[in-house]
Amino acid sequence: MKITLRSFQGIAPKVAPHLLPDSAATAAVNCRFTGGSLLPWKATSLLGTPLAYPTDTFTDASVLIDASGTADHITVTGHAFVSGEHVQLTTTGTLPAGLALATDYYVGVVSADKITLHSALPVGAGNMVAITAAAGGGTHTITSSWPPYQTIFRYQPDPEDAVIWFGWTDEVQVARGPIPNDWYQRLYYTGNGKPKVLNEAIAATGTPVYPLCFDVGVPSPTQAVTLSVTGTATDSDPTTAITRAAVMTFVNEYGEEGPPSPVSNEVTAYPGQTFHVADMDQDFVAGDNTYVPMDTKRLYFTNTGSSGTEYQFVEVVPEGTDTTDVTYAFTGYGAVLGTDGWVPPPDNMIGIIALPNGSLAGFVKNEQFEGTGNTVCISVPYQPHAWPVAYQFSVAERIVALAPLGNSLLVLTDGVPTIATGADPSALSIDRLEVGYACTSRRGVVDLNGTIIYPCALGLGSVSLGGSKLVTEKLFTEREWASYLPGTIAGYQYNGEYVGFFDSSYSYIHDTGHPKGYPTARATATRGAFIFNPATQQFTTFSEAGVEYTAGAVYDDGNKLALYNYTAGQVRTFEGGSVATLTWTSKPLLTPGDTQFGAIRVYAAAYPASVAIYESGTLKYTATVTSHAPQRLPDTLIGDHWHLVISGTVEVYSVEMASSMEELAQPERG
């Protein structure tokens, strides 16, 4: 009797184990299936620790005890902590009295060099920890214990520039600016407050890790300019009279122009007179400097005497200038005002992506229900600051994610997907698919060679220009797929394969007392990763000892994946290290009646290779094979219900197990 495994496949839990083909697995970890052989994936490698949380030290001499017990300060020169930060203390000696080890504290920032510690939020005097004595000796360490980053991003404006890593504890979506050869190297992101934009000049400034940024958009001036006429007319013939009204716009440092101000009053001038323009709004951001700074203002006049006609460009007005004059004889009218309706994106827009036509797209978050709405927002092509209300449209179900699909926009929802098609964002054709699957995770959406693959309740769904289908239909039912926590899956493409991470701690308990609402607690987590090849239908899980990743904190640059290992503040490169240890478990291999196996042979690219032999679920023997020659097995291997577990770091071509050495006499390569 002989058992031969000549090729290897991944798992298919939907199929009963005894009905699987002999080459299929009932469990596969770190297995790569290439041409039928069994190959291990590589482990990750350390890229660096650019996202470690702040740590600082102090000594007893740094503690200032206030006699009233309400202002006990600790001097930590040049600290990087922020108000409300969650920390714990360790020491090489004894902590000052009033402080304890393994205890949660919250930082109050007194100055750049002084902090206070608080037992709870908010960080007011009522929660301040009273330090009663500063005598303990040793060096005391303050370590931030904020929760893991949920988003990381690698920013390198040019190949010769240093790499900057951004990290957010929120689910943030990042899109590169759509401007060709963008001098400013802009990035746009949503999910961390209002939609934001940053550039190369400011990216590395501000609080460490979180980038300094501006709100997206250019606001409209809040007040109308005032027109008046000065000078003495040289001709009072009514046919020479011209009537004008005016509007103005702001232009920021990027050269982006915003929507116009309210319309001014109308005035009439005659030859020899001048239009005097006053009250040009100086409140670029209405007292809240959150937008890209203003550079200039642009003035527009009507050119046919009616305020209801189009406005044409007159002149650029420098920042800080409140008045200007335009003569009756002025003839240099320029382009027609084209920014009417170019408003900033909604404050609650999330899910930003870049489209092939040069637009950005996002969708509105429904704050009332702590979920998403059903409205899609699109920017003017190549004008990422301008988001006209006329470019918005709604779909039937609540939106989960957006994705470019060819020259169209795919809207994935909690129901059937919708596709928006058209070159003009104001005149899109909106088509709801007849068949489709509800998307369960925004971060699980992946573009694989023009096909959008995403997690749903039944498995991985897909939408292409050819239609929609369930790509894992042959592998999983809803019951088996549930163990991969489809509501938390973050997906990425790697060499044509879908790499998914899932994490039950992805939903946090947020502390509303913190100024930014940072999470302060998370449940015991179930985490994991898997790799799926849609073309070959091979599925394996992926794990690495001592390394834990948050589901979303992965950066995908199209060529490699960078993973955030939250337990050490590290960023690691996927498939960057030595080979990982694979484990492949066969289906039940049944024999007609009790059979004794006495020999085994493994063909592999290198040795040793390990094969554990189980009978009726009990481990009977582990064979460590050191060459392709047949190897004897102990005479105790008798039974009728077998399965084999192959493990190691080498590529395996085939495994044969027979009753005797004679049965393996002739080579039988798989």
Side-chain angles (χ1 to χ4, degrees):
M1 185 66 191
K2 179 189 278 189
I3 291 175
T4 302
L5 300 176
R6 299 185 181 182
S7 62
F8 302 91
Q9 298 180 32
I11 63 172
K14 180 178 182 178
V15 181
H18 69 283
L19 297 178
L20 290 168
D22 288 350
S23 56
T26 54
V29 181
N30 301 337
C31 297
R32 194 167 192 171
F33 305 98
T34 303
S37 66
L38 184 59
L39 188 70
W41 284 85
K42 290 183 178 180
T44 62
S45 63
L46 179 64
L47 188 59
T49 55
L51 293 169
Y53 291 105
T55 295
D56 226 319
T57 60
F58 67 97
T59 61
D60 293 345
S62 302
V63 178
L64 175 63
I65 299 177
D66 179 68
S68 67
T70 60
D72 296 339
H73 296 170
I74 300 173
T75 299
V76 186
T77 304
H79 68 82
F81 299 111
V82 301
S83 182
E85 187 160 354
H86 184 196
V87 299
Q88 290 193 351
L89 303 176
T90 56
T91 183
T92 61
T94 302
L95 289 173
L99 300 177
L101 300 172
T103 301
D104 293 335
Y105 295 109
Y106 300 89
V107 173
V109 175
V110 179
S111 68
D113 299 320
K114 289 184 179 180
I115 65 171
T116 53
L117 294 178
H118 301 255
S119 60
L121 293 173
V123 289
N127 293 321
M128 184 179 295
V129 176
I131 304 175
T132 57
T139 299
H140 317 307
T141 300
I142 309 173
T143 301
S144 172
S145 53
W146 272 1
Y149 295 112
Q150 287 298 319
T151 307
I152 63 173
F153 191 87
R154 180 182 184 272
Y155 182 60
Q156 187 177 23
D158 293 298
E160 65 273 12
D161 292 337
V163 171
I164 304 169
W165 282 96
F166 300 144
W168 295 271
T169 56
D170 299 304
E171 179 185 328
V172 168
Q173 305 83 38
V174 183
R176 296 190 181 275
I179 309 300
N181 303 313
D182 182 13
W183 175 265
Y184 299 100
Q185 297 290 335
R186 281 166 281 186
L187 290 179
Y188 296 80
Y189 67 89
T190 59
N192 183 240
K194 296 180 181 180
K196 297 288 193 284
V197 58
L198 61 88
N199 62 38
E200 180 179 4
I202 65 173
T205 60
T207 303
V209 180
Y210 296 95
L212 183 65
C213 55
F214 298 107
D215 291 347
V216 175
V218 180
S220 170
T222 58
Q223 68 183 46
V225 301
T226 301
L227 292 185
S228 60
V229 175
T230 61
T232 303
T234 58
D235 185 347
S236 60
D237 184 344
T239 63
T240 64
I242 57 174
T243 300
R244 297 288 183 262
V247 295
M248 62 160 283
T249 63
F250 290 132
V251 180
N252 66 20
E253 291 180 351
Y254 294 156
E256 297 173 331
E257 185 177 9
S261 66
V263 178
S264 74
N265 59 306
E266 287 186 350
V267 296
T268 301
Y270 291 86
Q273 293 186 313
T274 297
F275 293 97
H276 179 68
V277 185
D279 298 326
M280 301 188 74
D281 192 350
Q282 300 301 304
D283 286 334
F284 176 51
V285 291
D288 183 10
N289 188 24
T290 57
Y291 292 104
V292 177
M294 180 172 64
D295 183 50
T296 59
K297 292 169 280 190
R298 290 179 184 172
L299 179 65
Y300 294 82
F301 272 9
T302 55
N303 196 17
T304 59
S306 170
S307 62
T309 63
E310 293 179 323
Y311 291 82
Q312 289 183 260
F313 174 74
V314 174
E315 65 175 282
V316 173
V317 180
E319 179 187 5
T321 299
D322 191 46
T323 63
T324 189
D325 293 297
V326 181
T327 66
Y328 170 94
F330 179 80
T331 58
Y333 292 99
V336 172
L337 173 70
T339 64
D340 196 13
W342 284 23
V343 295
D347 291 350
N348 58 344
M349 189 187 80
I350 58 175
I352 196 167
I353 64 167
L355 299 176
N357 71 341
S359 292
L360 298 177
F363 58 96
V364 173
K365 182 178 181 181
N366 190 328
E367 302 289 351
Q368 181 178 0
F369 299 104
E370 298 184 355
T372 59
N374 65 341
T375 300
V376 178
C377 310
I378 302 178
S379 76
V380 176
Y382 303 107
Q383 302 291 341
H385 69 291
W387 297 75
V389 175
Y391 287 11
Q392 298 180 5
F393 67 90
S394 297
V395 297
E397 291 94 358
R398 289 184 297 178
I399 300 168
V400 177
L402 305 177
L405 181 63
N407 292 321
S408 300
L409 171 62
L410 174 64
V411 184
L412 295 167
T413 72
D414 61 1
V416 177
T418 293
I419 295 179
T421 305
D424 183 355
S426 66
L428 296 174
S429 173
I430 312 299
D431 298 303
R432 187 171 183 266
L433 298 183
E434 293 183 4
V435 178
Y437 301 91
C439 180
T440 57
S441 173
R442 180 177 311 127
R443 311 186 83 168
V445 180
V446 174
D447 185 345
L448 279 180
N449 303 317
T451 296
I452 304 301
I453 297 180
Y454 61 95
C456 62
L458 301 178
L460 291 176
S462 75
V463 177
S464 67
L465 296 177
S468 175
K469 66 178 181 179
L470 189 64
V471 291
T472 56
E473 183 177 12
K474 295 181 179 179
L475 304 183
F476 296 95
T477 66
E478 182 178 6
R479 183 175 182 178
E480 295 92 27
W481 181 246
S483 64
Y484 296 94
L485 308 180
T488 73
I489 290 175
Y492 307 88
Q493 79 81 28
Y494 183 79
N495 291 341
E497 304 201 43
Y498 184 105
V499 180
F501 297 87
F502 55 94
D503 183 354
S504 66
S505 70
Y506 188 58
S507 296
Y508 284 91
I509 302 170
H510 282 71
D511 186 344
T512 55
H514 193 282
K516 290 190 176 181
Y518 289 120
T520 60
R522 56 186 169 83
T524 302
T526 298
R527 297 185 180 89
F530 62 85
I531 304 167
F532 172 65
N533 189 316
T536 63
Q537 289 284 292
Q538 303 304 320
F539 190 101
T540 182
T541 58
F542 179 84
S543 68
E544 186 174 355
V547 180
E548 291 191 88
Y549 309 109
T550 52
V554 180
Y555 172 71
D556 178 6
D557 69 357
N559 298 309
K560 63 184 178 182
L561 301 179
L563 318 177
Y564 174 63
N565 175 18
Y566 79 89
T567 55
Q570 301 171 342
V571 175
R572 303 181 68 86
T573 303
F574 184 68
E575 273 252 295
S578 57
V579 292
T581 299
L582 67 80
T583 303
W584 184 91
T585 303
S586 74
K587 61 167 283 188
L589 303 168
L590 308 179
T591 58
D594 284 346
T595 301
Q596 180 174 3
F597 286 99
I600 192 170
R601 175 165 55 194
V602 178
Y603 282 102
Y607 296 93
S610 176
V611 181
I613 304 170
Y614 288 77
E615 200 284 320
S616 297
T618 301
L619 176 63
K620 295 296 186 180
Y621 183 72
T622 299
T624 301
V625 182
T626 57
S627 74
H628 66 274
Q631 179 174 310
R632 292 189 183 277
L633 297 173
D635 57 10
T636 55
L637 300 182
I638 302 174
D640 61 359
H641 192 282
W642 307 88
H643 69 267
L644 306 180
V645 178
I646 302 170
S647 60
T649 58
V650 301
E651 183 176 8
V652 175
Y653 304 132
S654 67
V655 175
E656 301 166 84
M657 190 168 70
S659 298
S660 64
M661 295 287 283
E662 289 73 19
E663 279 192 283
L664 298 179
Q666 298 298 320
E668 191 172 344
R669 299 179 184 272

